[in-house]
């Protein structure tokens, strides 16, 4: 079994990666920005799976600083770089967002190379593959890259440029360090505790009525447990070195289709889920005045359909049915009283 560093262990994907590693028998070290969160993380992981307490180590490291990274990676065989930088000053310029994402990735890669880590698995996103392109009928694959000169949001631009910087670093300065990248679509699934991951706020809004109608676009969806599983496969399989892997559970779904699944599976508990999609022309007009719709403007009218055939073929990955994940996400949010929380 290996020693594995997971960056961002308190995050939605990071916590599930830590859990999957512990269940697989690996020793886990994870980074947090604030060590005050260690007891909370340790308790959540103990509540969800059995492991000897000494197999989990929590250390402090922030992607915005060099401090702590040499110690974080020391003695590790693999690194799952899941964390994304959090810019806590507002407003944040697009240049600052891109620089923070790129610099954070390079910090982890440099420390990993210097510590003789075998492989880093980078959590990228569908946003580094499918955005800024004309509408198309064929699904996106790992061969595609987001067009950073297109009409895209700062987040997608930052993820794309950070990943490109990662591949360039490994190619030119990696000194034998291996890299693999995982590209999840919209990540859903159960929470380990009463947290409020940003990726689940669409489903939360459908349940509590704060999303009365659905914006007109479609995307892929994937369960966080399957995302964690793909990270572990990309970490250990020799065939994963130097490769990108999309993670999506089937074809894209429109937001209104997700709402219909909630109503069908949860009945009265999803009675507030929207039943209609906002017409595209109306949504575009709303984007001129509504901040939430404005943030979605580049996505309106688009269908970000992608395929995970490569992960299934090369790594044997098998995602669970997306309708089950949507229902279990909602059940988890209700069970942890996250719905309606602000």
């Amino acid at each position: 079994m290996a020693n594995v560093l997971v960056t961002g262990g308190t995050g939605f994907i990071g916590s599930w990666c830590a859990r999957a590693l512990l269940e697989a028998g690996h020793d886990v070290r994870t980074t947090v920005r604030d060590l005050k969160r260690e007891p909370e993380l340790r308790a959540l992981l103990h509540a969800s799976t059995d492991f000897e307490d000494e197999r989990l180590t929590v250390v402090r490291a922030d992607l915005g600083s060099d401090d702590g990274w040499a110690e974080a990676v020391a003695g590790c065989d693999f690194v799952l770089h899941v964390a994304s930088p959090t810019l806590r000053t507002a407003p944040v310029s697009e240049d600052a967002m891109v620089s923070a994402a790129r610099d954070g990735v390079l910090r982890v890669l440099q420390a990993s190379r210097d510590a003789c880590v075998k492989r880093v698995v980078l959590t990228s996103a569908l946003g580094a593959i499918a955005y800024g392109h004309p509408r198309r009928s064929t699904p996106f694959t790992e061969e595609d890259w987001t067009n950073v000169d297109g009409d895209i949001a700062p987040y997608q631009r930052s993820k794309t440029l950070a990943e490109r910087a990662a591949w360039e670093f490994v190619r030119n300065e990696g000194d034998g360090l291996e890299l693999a990248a995982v590209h999840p679509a919209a990540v859903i699934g159960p929470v380990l505790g009463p947290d409020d991951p940003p990726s689940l706020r669409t489903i939360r809004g459908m349940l509590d009525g704060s999303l009365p109608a659905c914006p007109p676009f479609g995307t892929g969806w994937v369960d966080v447990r399957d995302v964690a599983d793909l990270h572990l496969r990309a970490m250990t399989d020799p065939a994963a070195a130097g490769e990108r892997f999309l993670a999506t559970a089937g074809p894209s779904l429109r937001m209104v289709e997700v709402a219909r699944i909630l109503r069908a599976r949860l009945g009265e508990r999803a009675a507030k889920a929207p039943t209609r999609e906002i017409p595209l022309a109306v949504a575009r007009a709303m984007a001129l005045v509504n901040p939430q719709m404005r943030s979605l403007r580049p996505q309106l009218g688009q269908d970000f359909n992608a395929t995970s055939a490569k992960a299934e073929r090369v790594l044997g990955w098998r995602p669970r049915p997306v309708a089950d994940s949507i229902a279990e996400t909602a059940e988890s949010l209700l069970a942890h009283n996250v719905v309606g929380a602000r």
Side-chain angles (χ1 to χ4, degrees), residues 1-6 21 25-29 54-55 57 72-80 117-119 235:
M1 295 296 101
N3 295 315
V4 185
L5 174 70
V6 179
L21 288 163
H26 301 292
D27 289 340
V28 175
R29 187 181 302 158
E54 60 269 18
R55 291 181 49 222
T57 305
V73 299
C76 289
D77 304 294
F78 302 100
V79 172
L80 305 187
V117 167
K118 180 178 181 181
R119 183 180 299 172
M235 180 183 85

Side-chain angles (χ1 to χ4, degrees), residues 229-243:
D229 175 59
L230 184 53
H231 276 74
L232 267 65
R233 292 172 184 267
M235 180 183 85
T236 57
D237 195 315
E243 301 291 341

Side-chain angles (χ1 to χ4, degrees), residues 3-6 9 18 22 26-32 35 38 41-42 45 51-60 71-72 76:
N3 295 315
V4 185
L5 174 70
V6 179
L22 290 166
H26 301 292
D27 289 340
V28 175
R29 187 181 302 158
T30 188
T31 64
V32 295
L35 283 174
E38 176 181 358
L41 174 59
R42 196 174 288 276
L45 290 171
F51 63 94
E52 297 174 356
D53 196 58
E54 60 269 18
R55 291 181 49 222
L56 173 67
T57 305
V58 181
V59 298
R60 184 190 178 284
E71 295 79 8
C76 289

